[in-house]
Amino acid sequence: MSSGRKVAKNTLWSLFGQGAPFLVALVSIPPIVHRLGTERFGVLTLAWMLIGYFSLFDLGLGRMLTQTVSERLGQGRSAKEIAAVIWTTSLAMAALGLLAGVILVAISPLVVESVFHLQGELGEETLRSLYWLAVSVPLLTLTSGLKGLLESLDRFAAVNGLRVAMGVFNYLSPFLIFPWSQGLDAVVAILVFGRLIFFLCHIFLSLQAYPPLLVYREIHFSVLRPLFSHGGWITVSNVVGPIMVYFDRFILSSFVTMTLVAFYTTPYEVLTKLWIIPLAVSAAAFPLMAAATDKPAELTAVYSRSLRYTLLVTWPAVTVIFLLAPWGLLHWLGPEFATHSGAIARILVIGIFVNCLAMMPAALLQATRRAKWLGFTHLAELPFYLAAVVGAAKFFGVEGVALVWTLRAAADAVILFYLARQAGARILLTPLLTAGEKDFLHRLW
């Protein structure tokens, strides 16, 4: 019951941290589309996706930092030893972030010309935007590590307070620049400035949450070997997984206009906000599952409870979205988006629902140090998915790509649930909820 309440409490904080910016996005995206234009907004969504992908090049150190600090705190290790792990891992993540930023700078001209197929003024704006985004990659990488540190110290309230502020800034800051410029690069520049401010806030909160970091400032490179060993397979999923999530938009940009890409990416960006539910639950459950690696009964209890939370919250939302998608798009973005994006939204929301459930077995495999299984699964799926997306984009357009994405999500879920069972966690979807679960749902609704 104690673990159930802890999962519920931290899940609610995470839902608040990710859900509040989503509400701001619903209000702010239409005027942003109006100011930038559909084509520029389509490019902006692709740029956001690209920076999100490059921010994952931490070789799994962010997730391993969370697990390692939690584990050593539970074992009562010395503050000096834990501080050395934090400083060493942060240094390594900074170096990896700088490397990823340099790579992004180097490939930006190729991306603009050969992938986005942009020329003229828009091409120049996009290139300058990618250069700005390259600057933010090290900030994103380090912020991710500091967020994991704060979560391992059970500072979910602080983490999600910052997340709300950052999310609101992301969607409202473009309006600060619109009176002087409606260029894409100007919008991206102010977003990068915001990431710098929030990175500094994470540093302040981390030092406040764990004061020994100010006393012990040692670097022990020996701690990196085990972190890289287990984090390497997390990296495989971090690299391959986003390819399967985002590759569709790059392929579409090669076969259709940027306007049609916007009709696809806009409902996708909104619908994937449903991921805040499983991400919040898995973030709260991850340390508990890691602690129960050798205790099948406890592992099954935490895993099943997390899956129940995700199912009970996402199912009603998915049902409403599926039924009302065209109507919602009509009143949100107008008849053009309702006509072109309604069917796409209905196809994608099914795949996103299945993917939400699949995040629980994926988190379990990482928590129990079976990230290798997850990495192998994604590597095996990748070639089949890439071929299917190219064929769908060429012959069936945006609706065909949406269907392929959903089918891939379904196949992935089946495999991951099987692997979770092999890892010792069974699904116990009992009809009656515990008192802690009822309390969680009551507060949530």
Side-chain angles (χ1 to χ4, degrees):
M1 185 63 67
S2 175
S3 66
R5 290 197 181 103
K6 192 170 185 178
V7 171
K9 181 192 72 173
N10 291 337
T11 296
L12 287 170
W13 275 118
S14 296
L15 285 173
F16 170 70
Q18 299 181 67
F22 171 65
L23 298 178
V24 177
L26 288 176
V27 177
S28 62
I29 284 180
I32 291 177
V33 174
H34 176 72
R35 292 291 188 94
L36 290 178
T38 304
E39 188 174 26
R40 275 183 169 78
F41 184 74
V43 175
L44 181 61
T45 60
L46 291 175
W48 276 337
M49 178 276 299
L50 190 64
I51 193 62
Y53 183 72
F54 268 84
S55 67
L56 295 172
F57 276 84
D58 63 352
L59 300 185
L61 291 182
R63 195 67 182 259
M64 289 308 301
L65 178 62
T66 304
Q67 185 182 55
T68 303
V69 172
S70 298
E71 181 182 57
R72 299 193 180 195
L73 285 172
Q75 294 172 349
R77 301 288 188 92
S78 69
K80 183 178 181 180
E81 179 183 348
I82 295 173
V85 170
I86 297 169
W87 280 114
T88 306
T89 307
S90 298
L91 178 62
M93 294 180 71
L96 291 169
L98 286 171
L99 177 61
V102 170
I103 293 173
L104 180 55
V105 169
I107 68 171
S108 290
L110 179 64
V111 170
V112 172
E113 295 177 9
S114 301
V115 179
F116 292 172
H117 302 291
L118 297 176
Q119 296 178 348
E121 182 181 358
L122 182 56
E124 293 175 1
E125 284 184 27
T126 303
L127 183 60
R128 290 193 296 269
S129 299
L130 291 178
Y131 288 155
W132 274 112
L133 289 172
V135 173
S136 72
V137 172
L139 302 177
L140 286 169
T141 304
L142 279 169
T143 301
S144 175
L146 293 173
K147 180 180 74 71
L149 169 63
L150 290 169
E151 288 180 348
S152 69
L153 298 170
D154 200 25
R155 297 297 196 277
F156 278 81
V159 167
N160 289 287
L162 280 178
R163 180 176 287 167
V164 169
M166 184 67 213
V168 171
F169 182 85
N170 277 342
Y171 291 111
L172 295 185
S173 60
F175 296 100
L176 299 177
I177 205 72
F178 281 152
W180 293 275
S181 172
Q182 295 185 14
L184 184 64
D185 51 337
V187 172
V188 173
I190 195 169
L191 292 176
V192 173
F193 175 75
R195 293 189 184 279
L196 172 61
I197 298 301
F198 286 100
F199 165 66
L200 296 176
C201 291
H202 276 83
I203 291 180
F204 173 78
L205 287 177
S206 297
L207 295 175
Q208 187 181 56
Y210 199 66
L213 287 172
L214 294 171
V215 179
Y216 306 108
R217 296 187 294 272
E218 298 180 6
I219 304 296
H220 296 166
F221 288 108
S222 59
V223 306
L224 290 178
R225 183 174 181 179
L227 293 180
F228 276 121
S229 175
H230 295 290
W233 282 106
I234 294 177
T235 301
V236 172
S237 295
N238 284 350
V239 173
V240 177
I243 290 177
M244 292 190 289
V245 171
Y246 298 123
F247 183 76
D248 48 0
R249 278 164 278 186
F250 278 111
I251 292 300
L252 278 174
S253 67
S254 299
F255 286 95
V256 301
T257 66
M258 278 296 173
T259 299
L260 288 177
V261 172
F263 291 144
Y264 181 90
T265 58
T266 301
Y268 183 95
E269 289 297 326
V270 173
L271 293 175
T272 52
K273 294 299 184 286
L274 284 171
W275 283 341
I276 68 175
I277 298 168
L279 288 174
V281 176
S282 63
F286 182 83
L288 297 176
M289 290 192 290
T293 300
D294 300 322
K295 304 170 184 176
E298 293 183 22
L299 182 66
T300 296
V302 175
Y303 171 61
S304 296
R305 182 180 295 116
S306 303
L307 190 59
R308 284 204 297 273
Y309 288 167
T310 304
L311 178 64
L312 290 170
V313 178
T314 55
W315 175 256
V318 167
T319 302
V320 172
I321 292 170
F322 184 85
L323 294 175
L324 302 180
W327 178 86
L329 287 165
L330 174 64
H331 289 81
W332 183 41
L333 294 174
E336 189 177 18
F337 271 88
T339 301
H340 292 90
S341 300
I344 295 171
R346 283 177 162 167
I347 296 171
L348 287 176
V349 75
I350 297 173
I352 289 169
F353 170 65
V354 175
N355 192 246
C356 286
L357 299 180
M359 288 186 187
M360 292 306 108
L364 180 139
L365 293 174
Q366 291 184 350
T368 57
R369 296 184 181 269
R370 290 178 172 87
K372 185 176 182 179
W373 295 8
L374 188 62
F376 268 127
T377 299
H378 287 157
L379 285 174
E381 293 174 358
L382 182 60
F384 299 100
Y385 175 67
L386 297 184
V389 168
V390 171
K394 185 175 181 179
F395 297 106
F396 301 103
V398 288
E399 290 85 358
V401 171
L403 181 60
V404 168
W405 195 97
T406 293
L407 292 175
R408 194 278 311 168
D412 183 69
V414 171
I415 296 171
L416 294 184
F417 278 115
Y418 172 77
L419 293 177
R421 187 175 181 85
Q422 294 300 108
R426 296 177 294 110
I427 300 175
L428 300 175
L429 293 178
T430 55
L432 297 178
L433 300 178
T434 65
E437 290 164 352
K438 290 178 181 178
D439 180 60
F440 163 75
L441 291 176
H442 174 72
R443 282 188 276 170
L444 178 64
W445 291 116

